[in-house]
Amino acid sequence: MSELNPLIQPLIDLQAVGQIRSIDLALARYIAEEADETDLDVLLAIALTSERNGHGDVCLDLMTQVQSLEWIKHPDFQPLNEWLVSLKALSGNEWWQKLSQSKAFATSSLDSIEPSVLSNTPLVLAGSADRPRLYLRRYWHYEERVKQAIQQRLALVEGLSDSVIAPLLNTLFASSQQHPDWQKIACALAARRSFAVITGGPGTGKTTTVVRLLALLQALAIENNAPIVQIALAAPTGKAAARLNASIAAQIESLPFAKLSQHPELLKRSIPTEVTTLHRLLGPIPNSRRFRHHAHHPLPMDCVVVDEASMVDLEMLAALVDALKPSARLILLGDKDQLASVEAGAVLGDLCQQAWQGGYSDETAAWLKSVTQDTLPREMITHDKTRQLDQAITMLRFSHRFSAQGGIGALAHLVNQGEYQGQKVSDPLLSLKQIFAQQPEQLQIYAVNQSTDAEFAQLVVKGYQGYLRQLVEQRPAHTASSSDFDEWARSILTAHTAFQLLSAVREGVWGVHSLNSWITQLLTRANLISNTQALWYEGRPILVTQNDYNLRLMNGDIGITLKRPVVDADGEIREALRVVFPTPEGGIRWVMPSRLQAIETVYAMTVHKSQGSEFTHTALVLPDQPSAVLTQELIYTAITRSRETFSLVYSKESVLRQALTTRVTRLSGLTFS
């Protein structure tokens, strides 16, 4: 190891000044030893590939990343700066030659790599000679598997009879007032191919659309005397699964089964209502990254629908497509503009890059006209070269929940599109303040100096006092039945969704750790909670941070600590603390606190953790220092967690402005021609 130090000293210096991480340095050091790699430039490329993967990129755009390396303004780093100058002078072709000669890389045009070669290389060199793109080997594999699975399904165009599908669509959307009706179009396009994406913002009817799509698929099968379609509904988190479960159950009752089929009861029974998590669907094998279902043991499903697909990372989607039968449909549902997964990849965003423009072919437009009677806007039809992928993607554009002219809808549109009242804005911060001023009953903004600010404290106490007071005031009598306590617990869980504080970061004064500690003290002083010197106390909300399959709890599940009568070993009835969770089926689960391992208090949670959830009133707290996580996507995601009211808390305008003008950019090679 010491013999390598002179060679890798520049990398050690880069790690010392924060341009690469310790783990990136360790990977370069390991490859230097195991592959006998002596080219420092190659070792840097390896470290940078690892560093970008840690920030969510699937691969590394080498030329861009090398140019972004910063000079170190200190005389001790002069040799390092001279090396950086030489690096930035290298052309793409020179880099390609260096990397293709390294034992650490398999070279690929992303068409094929010999398995025997790839099995011995930790990295893959892809892209082109003038624009090298570098992958950690397994991420190249993930991307290839996803791309191939999607391309295979895009090529499977169903031979649907217009005379059969058109009446079914007309029946399902008989009350529609939208022209064009994008929900109707989404159902038609998704029924036509074995792969489909339905994207749209909050309140655009994604769940309504997918329920009608499932009814359409089953009605088509019944009409053709084919077997009922075996459908699985899944979401990335338990919370998202529970939400979809409740939404679907409510939507099914409104479907006109008698008008859709001569066998209405069969049709109704064929539409699934149970939603599971992706992990549970695939069947995780303990202490490994593998699942029970894979290419050699596929899921017994004809169709898998994934909600909140923006949260699905590349590795998880690769595992899912591996587990599908070649003939199985895959339907992705989600908001392309929300935050991507914390893991590498932004698959939904990659797929939907052109969703706003449409990109439909003349043939697709004509077919949609025939089966839906809707005419696509001319600007969404591409008369020349079109992509198969675009013929399978629908963006829902009309929000039934929010108006784009004011309130939460206008705020979300401003943050996401940089538009207000139909015009591009030059100063998003100024426009943001105008929207808040115009809708004070729905939008509230707080400029604070410190977390103990009285106005902010009042917001928090008012937000959480509802469920805490209800907890006491509606508590059943000691002798009440178990079902009475279940109903009480269910009402507390519902009341808890009335308010949620979100933070952009975990650490620091404005991070979730400090905020949770401060809020605990604040609510104690307000006499809303007590006994907080103990780890567990009544009213404590907790967030599950790791999947626990024994308890059937998933990462992201939220529970509330309550007191209820239990029978002890001596047969005596006493009060004990239990944590209550909602089940995906709409029931209640009581869990002993001692059985919960990976949990944290959740008066405040990160925006990432809030995905898949909705709250009546959401408040976002921004840190007082710039951060790489402060982006338009983060603010948009926080805003769209709100059903009725949104509050923004900030201390520095410069930090808020940074977030309003910064977009997430995640690099991948998931492209389709």
Side-chain angles (χ1 to χ4, degrees):
M1 189 72 71
S2 58
E3 294 177 3
L4 282 173
N5 276 341
L7 171 64
I8 66 168
Q9 186 59 49
L11 299 184
I12 296 172
D13 292 342
L14 283 176
Q15 188 268 325
V17 297
Q19 297 207 45
I20 61 173
R21 305 167 301 166
S22 298
I23 192 171
D24 310 324
L25 175 63
L27 176 63
R29 191 194 301 266
Y30 172 79
I31 291 176
E33 293 176 336
E34 296 299 316
D36 195 27
E37 180 58 66
T38 58
D39 189 326
L40 179 60
D41 298 352
V42 171
L43 293 175
L44 172 67
I46 291 167
L48 292 178
T49 303
S50 171
E51 194 270 343
R52 292 322 303 165
N53 185 259
H55 285 85
D57 287 345
V58 175
C59 54
L60 170 74
D61 181 340
L62 182 59
M63 301 302 291
T64 299
Q65 199 62 31
V66 167
Q67 294 301 321
S68 70
L69 290 171
E70 298 176 1
W71 315 116
I72 312 302
K73 297 179 180 179
H74 192 285
D76 290 348
F77 290 100
Q78 185 59 30
L80 175 62
N81 287 334
E82 292 174 357
W83 176 52
L84 293 180
V85 170
S86 67
L87 285 173
K88 296 186 180 191
L90 289 175
S91 68
N93 283 282
E94 289 171 321
W95 272 112
W96 186 276
Q97 186 173 1
K98 279 176 174 284
L99 297 170
S100 62
Q101 293 174 353
S102 171
K103 296 177 183 177
F105 286 87
T107 306
S108 167
S109 61
L110 283 189
D111 292 329
S112 65
I113 295 180
E114 286 294 328
S116 59
V117 174
L118 186 58
S119 63
N120 295 319
T121 61
L123 293 99
V124 173
L125 171 61
S128 60
D130 62 331
R131 204 78 189 177
R133 197 163 63 238
L134 279 56
Y135 289 80
L136 297 179
R137 181 179 64 192
R138 64 189 179 96
Y139 282 93
W140 183 88
H141 268 306
Y142 296 151
E143 192 170 89
E144 279 294 282
R145 279 147 50 188
V146 168
K147 184 186 296 186
Q148 290 168 8
I150 291 175
Q151 287 175 329
Q152 170 202 336
R153 285 168 173 79
L154 287 173
L156 297 175
V157 180
E158 299 286 336
L160 299 175
S161 168
D162 293 7
S163 62
V164 174
I165 190 173
L168 292 173
L169 287 169
N170 288 336
T171 301
L172 284 165
F173 295 92
S175 61
S176 172
Q177 301 297 314
Q178 302 301 316
H179 300 287
D181 186 339
W182 288 105
Q183 294 184 22
K184 190 177 186 180
I185 289 169
C187 285
L189 291 178
R192 198 184 192 198
R193 280 182 166 83
S194 293
F195 176 76
V197 177
I198 302 172
T199 186
T204 52
K206 294 186 292 293
T207 304
T208 301
T209 304
V210 81
V211 170
R212 295 180 185 184
L213 171 59
L214 299 182
L216 175 64
L217 294 176
Q218 298 291 26
L220 287 168
I222 293 171
E223 180 73 21
N224 293 324
N225 295 315
I228 291 297
V229 183
Q230 299 302 309
I231 300 171
L233 306 174
T237 67
K239 188 70 174 178
R243 269 191 56 213
L244 181 61
N245 189 91
S247 298
I248 285 180
Q251 290 282 343
I252 284 178
E253 296 304 319
S254 66
L255 291 176
F257 293 106
K259 296 180 180 179
L260 289 169
S261 173
Q262 296 180 0
H263 307 281
E265 288 303 318
L266 173 62
L267 178 57
K268 185 175 183 178
R269 289 196 307 272
S270 71
I271 301 176
T273 57
E274 184 175 345
V275 186
T276 186
T277 64
L278 281 170
H279 271 89
R280 193 177 286 154
L281 176 69
L282 295 175
I285 297 174
N287 304 315
S288 80
R289 305 177 78 101
R290 294 178 293 115
F291 295 95
R292 290 199 313 274
H293 290 288
H294 45 75
H296 302 295
H297 181 216
L299 290 162
M301 301 297 169
D302 305 312
C303 176
V304 174
V305 179
V306 181
D307 193 23
E308 297 288 353
S310 64
M311 300 166 62
V312 181
D313 62 89
L314 181 65
E315 181 178 2
M316 175 55 73
L317 189 59
L320 175 61
V321 298
D322 276 355
L324 295 179
K325 297 185 296 186
S327 60
R329 292 177 180 271
L330 176 60
I331 299 167
L332 303 181
L333 198 67
D335 186 343
K336 68 180 180 63
D337 297 312
Q338 281 189 27
L339 281 170
S341 164
V342 293
E343 304 298 332
V347 180
L348 190 67
D350 288 340
L351 296 173
C352 294
Q353 285 181 2
Q354 299 183 38
W356 182 261
Q357 292 87 350
Y360 299 111
S361 67
D362 289 313
E363 187 274 334
T364 297
W367 181 78
L368 286 172
K369 175 69 173 176
S370 174
V371 300
T372 69
Q373 291 77 56
D374 270 326
T375 302
L376 292 177
R378 282 182 296 177
E379 63 271 18
M380 294 185 186
I381 301 173
T382 303
H383 301 291
D384 300 322
K385 187 178 180 181
T386 58
R387 302 188 309 166
Q388 275 192 323
L389 176 64
D390 294 327
Q391 318 314 305
I393 295 177
T394 311
M395 181 172 178
L396 306 180
R397 298 157 193 268
F398 179 79
S399 177
H400 301 270
R401 187 186 310 165
F402 302 126
S403 165
Q405 304 307 312
I408 290 175
L411 184 63
H413 189 72
L414 168 70
V415 171
N416 189 33
Q417 299 293 337
E419 294 179 347
Y420 179 45
Q421 296 180 339
Q423 301 292 325
K424 281 287 183 182
V425 301
S426 57
D427 187 342
L429 180 55
L430 178 62
S431 297
L432 177 138
K433 290 184 176 180
Q434 290 174 345
I435 295 174
F436 273 96
Q438 291 168 3
Q439 297 277 348
E441 70 284 352
Q442 191 179 84
L443 300 172
Q444 303 158 6
I445 191 164
Y446 300 86
V448 300
N449 294 320
Q450 52 189 359
S451 61
T452 55
D453 182 274
E455 198 175 19
F456 178 39
Q458 185 180 17
L459 168 71
V460 172
V461 171
K462 184 179 178 182
Y464 286 126
Q465 67 183 2
Y467 91 90
L468 291 169
R469 286 179 175 170
Q470 185 171 323
L471 182 158
V472 175
E473 294 168 0
Q474 297 185 12
R475 186 193 307 277
H478 194 70
T479 54
S481 66
S482 292
S483 62
D484 288 336
F485 275 94
D486 285 351
E487 284 304 312
W488 169 66
R490 185 179 287 106
S491 73
I492 301 305
L493 287 167
T494 300
H496 180 259
T497 66
F499 178 80
Q500 183 62 55
L501 189 67
L502 304 180
S503 174
V505 295
R506 296 189 63 81
E507 307 299 335
V509 175
W510 297 99
V512 292
H513 292 151
S514 296
L515 286 171
N516 277 316
S517 177
W518 171 68
I519 293 170
T520 302
Q521 299 171 31
L522 188 65
L523 297 177
T524 302
R525 291 197 298 269
N527 295 317
L528 292 168
I529 56 176
S530 59
N531 300 320
T532 55
Q533 69 278 5
L535 176 61
W536 292 100
Y537 56 87
E538 189 171 41
R540 181 191 180 196
I542 63 104
L543 176 76
V544 177
T545 57
Q546 290 181 17
N547 295 338
D548 188 326
Y549 297 100
N550 291 326
L551 294 178
R552 292 180 296 151
L553 294 174
M554 297 292 112
N555 183 2
D557 286 351
I558 293 177
I560 307 291
T561 311
L562 300 174
K563 288 180 182 176
R564 66 165 296 170
V566 297
V567 179
D568 63 19
D570 299 324
E572 298 292 327
I573 297 178
R574 61 180 178 83
E575 267 193 340
L577 290 173
R578 296 290 185 267
V579 183
V580 63
F581 293 91
T583 67
E585 301 79 24
I588 291 295
R589 182 183 301 126
W590 299 85
V591 180
M592 293 178 62
S594 59
R595 298 191 66 191
L596 296 168
Q597 303 301 316
I599 54 95
E600 59 187 35
T601 302
V602 71
Y603 294 116
M605 69 165 69
T606 62
V607 177
H608 267 104
K609 287 291 187 182
S610 74
Q611 287 186 268
S613 302
E614 281 186 354
F615 307 95
T616 306
H617 181 180
T618 303
L620 171 64
V621 181
L622 296 182
D624 56 0
Q625 297 296 323
S627 169
V629 304
L630 294 177
T631 63
Q632 292 169 321
E633 288 85 352
L634 180 132
I635 297 184
Y636 172 81
T637 301
I639 293 168
T640 55
R641 299 309 89 212
S642 308
R643 285 192 292 263
E644 297 178 9
T645 308
F646 175 73
S647 297
L648 177 63
V649 182
Y650 72 97
S651 56
K652 289 185 179 179
E653 281 197 353
S654 59
V655 174
L656 175 55
R657 186 179 294 279
Q658 174 208 326
L660 291 172
T661 55
T662 304
R663 289 202 77 87
V664 172
T665 55
R666 285 196 172 181
L667 186 66
S668 80
L670 194 62
T671 57
F672 297 83
S673 56

